[in-house]
Amino acid sequence: MEKFNTHTGLVVPLDVANVDTDQIIPKQFLQKTERVGFGVHLFHDSRYLDHAGTQVNPDFIINKPEYKDASILLARENFGCGSSREHAPWALQEYGFKVIIAPSFADIFYGNSINIGILPIKLSEDEIEQLFQLAPNAQLTLKVDLPNNVVTCGDLSFKFSLNEFQQYSLENGVDSVGWTLNKLDTIKAFEDKMPAWQ
Amino acid sequence: MTTTAQTMYEKLWQNHLVEEAEGETPLLYVDRHLIHEVTSPQAFANLRFHNRPVRHPERTIATMDHNISTRSIKIDAAGEGAANQLRALEKNCKEFGIELFGMGHKNQGIAHVMGPELGLTLPGTIIVCGDSHTATHGAFGALAFGIGTSEVEHVFATQTLRQNKAKTMKIEVKGQVGAGISAKDIILAIIGKTGSAGATGYVVEYCGEAIEALSMEERMTVCNMSIEFGAKAGLVAPDQTTFDYVEGKEYAPKGEMFAQAVSDWKQLKSDDGAEFDAVITLEAKDIKAQVTWGTNPGQVISVDGIVPSPEDFSDAVEKESCINALKYMDLTAGTKITDIQVNKVFIGSCTNSRIEDLRAAAGIVEQYQGQQVVANVDAIIVPGSYRVKEQAENEGLDKIFIGAGFEWRLPGCSMCLGMNDDVLAEGDRCASTSNRNFEGRQGRGSRTHLVSPEMAAAAAITGHFVDLNA
């Protein structure tokens, strides 16, 4: 996993609540055995006017030319709800998003994002509203500073927090499986004490 | 000595806590890992890349469910993409020593139907699967939750997971439900009350007389939809109903070991006086048959109600969601729910494809005494597993359905998510016993109304929703 330190990027405001992972990456694109090839299908049903994905929907905000280089997604509450598919953060990452900012996230999506190196940032409803006010017309560029847990834009700055180990893992690009494999003795000791039926 | 009263979740947590190291997320032991073709291949690929084995292959069981055809047991029957994933699962299971219930196997079925019926699902265990409806197994008093593919890989390699401790929510359903009210109606009414993200960050424990009265199948339906209001997991305290269900199942402990297990399982229920971070109470007698009208499971109303108007919501986000949902669903505020016409019916999914669900649907079909599925409606029944299918056929349920004009299919996830060819067309309106009414879930531009098996059966025969208690 790539290390995450600071990131400065253009914000695209997706003013929708309860964006579910079916919307982020519809089921017909889950039939892959690799981790790549999902970015082109991100938000497929909104991004394209036809099922085959040949006609771009010019009204969908992510398609607007001024947001072409956006790398920070701003959204409303309960982002990433529904299916546990990690294909959703894979698609967002491959498209070019490094940070997602919302007032709340679904639990599984939140964890999946951190596990692949996307930073999900929770801010208060008021802070999110302020960002939505600033974001139209591709006017909002944010600096995200993970080590200091702060998002800034000019004089504006918002603090955010992350679980200690998740922060450490993101900053250092920790191989979480390798990390736990170093603790096999502890795991074996636990197994030795488990009841037989378990 | 003082002891603190603990919730069931806290007990399950303590019993599985391998390590809580300074500065690290707690490490929990995973007893049972269920896998399927869609969310596992990338995890296997990473194991191979790092040259890491599956640490306890005997604790993982694989099934084919998401992608498969419900018309044929041939692996190629649902297209090339599906076949690639199914073949990859066969190859991966063989290479890493994992037992697989593939196409045509007597144990094949939807992971969350197959696990319980084989006794792979046990009280007091932690069960994970790369599927958000894993909460189903919480019906047994197991801590069960959905995980992403990176976590699937972590479980393969270590048999553990890192998890932050969730908050606890108690949902008590007091008293008894009225006649004809199903477990699906109970859970939809709960989600209607909490909203579709009302339990985000919580593990929910369902309790109260109405929950205790439920069969294991019904408890599974309730726990299955825990994720639909954001809960990490749903739990029901194991009791005699649970022990009787588990006893004698193929993979369940036997004899002395079963007795020891039951004795341990009896300790799991929340202690008297245990404190929850949130408590929600419903009166069972107030719960009526439920139908979703919108595009998330929280947008639900009683069958005797009307489609709400944006004006009914004070919260700006809910108001906006209502406007968008009415547009997508092509519904007008004020329309009676019983006036909504459907042209597709799907009875199946990990929520409602067990034997009791099929019996309930067949019972409604029989009440209509020889009436057929109405001419403009296509109705399919997809049993949750081969065992359910076989049982239903032994009871003659298939004949009731086929005789009334339903299609009787082979087991799989099918139209719940439409990864195979069981997909709705644009503009189709479906009465569905599944768990998600998201935009495009069952097919681009299609419209889903979540209902019980009874309601779905009635909609198939009449072409619209029916207040069966009227």
Side-chain angles (χ1 to χ4, degrees):
Chain A
M1 190 170 84
E2 251 180 74
K3 294 179 184 178
F4 193 113
N5 192 269
T6 62
H7 174 74
T8 301
L10 177 66
V11 176
V12 57
L14 182 66
D15 198 355
V16 186
N18 300 313
V19 173
D20 58 70
T21 52
D22 278 80
Q23 287 176 57
I24 297 171
I25 182 86
K27 70 255 174 189
Q28 66 267 34
F29 306 113
L30 305 185
Q31 291 182 332
K32 293 184 196 299
T33 54
E34 311 84 35
R35 279 175 195 247
V36 293
F38 300 103
V40 66
H41 305 300
L42 177 70
F43 293 120
H44 181 273
D45 287 3
S46 304
R47 231 165 114 198
Y48 302 102
L49 293 168
D50 60 329
H51 190 60
T54 58
Q55 298 170 52
V56 171
N57 175 5
D59 296 331
F60 185 56
I61 191 148
I62 286 174
N63 287 337
K64 293 184 188 281
E66 60 268 35
Y67 292 110
K68 186 169 65 73
D69 299 320
S71 58
I72 300 177
L73 183 64
L74 177 65
R76 296 288 184 181
E77 65 191 46
N78 198 28
F79 188 85
C81 60
S83 158
S84 58
R85 58 187 72 163
E86 196 166 299
H87 313 68
W90 291 339
L92 288 158
Q93 188 174 57
E94 191 174 319
Y95 179 87
F97 289 114
K98 297 191 181 315
V99 178
I100 305 165
I101 305 178
S104 58
F105 293 89
D107 291 332
I108 304 177
F109 176 86
Y110 185 86
N112 286 347
S113 297
I114 290 174
N115 285 340
I116 68 162
I118 290 184
L119 174 59
I121 296 178
K122 288 184 220 175
L123 295 178
S124 73
E125 298 274 359
D126 285 350
E127 291 164 344
I128 294 291
E129 190 52 45
Q130 282 186 60
L131 293 178
F132 268 104
Q133 296 297 328
L134 294 168
N137 307 313
Q139 298 177 103
L140 181 61
T141 295
L142 285 177
K143 183 183 178 199
V144 177
D145 180 342
L146 178 61
N148 291 302
N149 292 99
V150 65
V151 176
T152 53
C153 164
D155 296 339
L156 208 59
S157 87
F158 298 134
K159 292 290 284 181
F160 63 92
S161 65
L162 218 63
N163 159 294
E164 191 180 354
F165 189 61
Q166 288 176 328
Q167 167 127 5
Y168 178 84
S169 298
L170 272 173
E171 280 184 35
N172 296 283
V174 168
D175 163 19
S176 62
V177 174
W179 185 280
T180 303
L181 282 174
N182 287 328
K183 304 190 173 242
L184 275 187
D185 289 346
T186 311
I187 299 171
K188 281 180 188 148
F190 178 89
E191 286 171 334
D192 288 341
K193 289 188 295 186
M194 279 166 53
W197 61 264
Q198 198 177 331
Chain B
M1 194 180 90
T2 54
T3 52
T4 315
Q6 285 185 309
T7 63
M8 181 166 31
Y9 170 63
E10 284 155 351
K11 293 180 190 185
L12 287 162
W13 178 276
Q14 280 303 329
N15 290 349
H16 289 85
L17 187 61
V18 174
E19 186 189 53
E20 201 166 10
E22 177 74 27
E24 293 182 25
T25 306
L27 192 64
L28 298 182
Y29 197 76
V30 173
D31 300 296
R32 179 68 65 197
H33 187 193
L34 303 174
I35 64 168
H36 60 85
E37 69 276 16
V38 178
T39 58
S40 65
Q42 295 87 350
F44 281 116
N46 270 15
L47 287 183
R48 211 173 272 125
F49 178 79
H50 290 286
N51 200 20
R52 290 168 176 160
V54 171
R55 198 159 160 264
H56 277 296
E58 79 285 3
R59 288 187 178 272
T60 298
I61 295 277
T63 187
M64 296 179 174
D65 57 7
H66 277 64
N67 250 333
I68 58 176
S69 170
T70 58
R71 300 166 195 271
S72 161
I73 59 164
K74 292 205 175 79
I75 265 181
D76 294 307
E80 194 184 340
N84 283 343
Q85 280 191 330
L86 295 167
R87 291 217 167 82
L89 185 65
E90 283 181 335
K91 176 174 171 286
N92 288 329
C93 287
K94 196 168 176 196
E95 181 180 335
F96 288 92
I98 291 167
E99 189 170 11
L100 166 67
F101 304 145
M103 301 306 291
H105 193 287
K106 68 180 184 354
N107 292 341
Q108 182 268 333
I110 304 174
H112 314 311
V113 176
M114 169 278 286
E117 71 188 4
L118 292 177
L120 290 162
T121 302
L122 297 178
T125 57
I126 287 188
I127 302 173
V128 299
C129 173
D131 185 279
S132 60
H133 294 108
T134 307
T136 309
H137 309 267
F140 292 78
L143 181 59
F145 50 92
I147 58 177
T149 298
S150 295
E151 293 174 308
V152 169
E153 181 190 342
H154 195 279
V155 177
F156 278 156
T158 70
Q159 206 56 41
T160 65
L161 263 186
R162 291 194 184 277
Q163 287 289 306
N164 295 309
K165 202 163 185 182
K167 292 180 283 185
T168 54
M169 179 184 287
K170 173 165 130 174
I171 298 185
E172 184 174 5
V173 188
K174 291 186 165 175
Q176 295 173 343
V177 290
I181 299 303
S182 70
K184 184 67 164 286
D185 298 316
I186 295 176
I187 187 61
L188 284 173
I190 289 171
I191 300 171
K193 188 175 169 106
T194 62
S196 65
T200 300
Y202 289 89
V203 165
V204 170
E205 181 175 340
Y206 304 96
C207 61
E209 201 183 335
I211 301 295
E212 287 163 23
L214 299 176
S215 69
M216 290 315 297
E217 276 90 345
E218 291 171 321
R219 292 178 191 183
M220 285 188 249
T221 298
V222 171
C223 288
N224 172 275
M225 290 190 73
S226 302
I227 185 73
E228 306 311 337
F229 58 121
K232 178 87 195 172
L235 295 169
V236 174
D239 58 11
Q240 199 57 45
T241 305
T242 321
F243 310 144
D244 290 346
Y245 179 97
V246 173
E247 188 169 15
K249 294 275 188 288
E250 194 171 326
Y251 286 79
K254 306 279 185 317
E256 223 6 72
M257 212 188 292
F258 183 75
Q260 182 54 51
V262 169
S263 145
D264 288 351
W265 296 341
K266 285 181 173 169
Q267 310 301 316
L268 286 169
K269 65 173 192 261
S270 292
D271 297 328
D272 291 341
E275 285 185 26
F276 291 81
D277 297 304
V279 177
I280 290 175
T281 307
L282 285 85
E283 294 291 340
K285 64 177 168 39
D286 297 340
I287 298 174
K288 296 177 180 167
Q290 303 284 305
V291 179
T292 63
W293 54 268
T295 54
N296 71 58
Q299 292 177 321
V300 64
I301 199 157
S302 298
V303 68
D304 59 356
I306 57 170
V307 174
S309 150
E311 305 313 313
D312 297 340
F313 300 92
S314 52
D315 178 77
V317 171
E318 281 187 53
K319 194 186 287 277
E320 186 68 23
S321 292
C322 177
I323 294 169
N324 292 336
L326 293 184
K327 187 174 170 215
Y328 182 84
M329 295 295 289
D330 191 28
L331 288 173
T332 309
T335 305
K336 287 168 75 176
I337 297 297
T338 49
D339 285 346
I340 297 173
Q341 308 274 328
V342 302
N343 69 327
K344 292 280 170 6
V345 171
F346 169 59
I347 297 178
S349 88
C350 59
T351 314
N352 281 129
S353 64
R354 298 182 180 82
I355 188 67
E356 289 187 3
D357 299 312
L358 303 187
R359 285 180 193 143
I364 296 295
V365 173
E366 286 196 309
Q367 276 183 33
Y368 281 96
Q369 297 177 352
Q371 284 190 56
Q372 294 284 303
V373 170
V374 72
N376 63 324
V377 170
D378 297 322
I380 65 170
I381 314 248
V382 184
S385 69
Y386 263 91
R387 288 184 181 234
V388 170
K389 179 171 178 285
E390 193 175 70
Q391 170 90 27
E393 288 171 355
N394 287 341
E395 295 179 18
L397 303 184
D398 58 323
K399 293 198 174 56
I400 295 171
F401 291 127
I402 294 166
F406 289 82
E407 283 183 56
W408 179 248
R409 298 283 189 88
L410 304 176
C413 296
S414 181
M415 198 182 275
C416 173
L417 83 167
M419 273 197 78
N420 63 358
D421 53 349
D422 299 331
V423 187
L424 296 178
E426 193 146 355
D428 275 352
R429 187 180 295 281
C430 183
S432 178
T433 66
S434 55
N435 40 57
R436 289 197 174 123
N437 50 345
F438 297 157
E439 287 186 21
R441 168 85 175 174
Q442 296 187 296
R444 185 183 172 116
S446 67
R447 301 169 181 128
T448 303
H449 295 273
L450 302 178
V451 294
S452 68
E454 292 90 330
M455 182 69 74
I461 303 286
T462 64
H464 57 83
F465 298 115
V466 181
D467 186 353
L468 293 162
N469 280 338

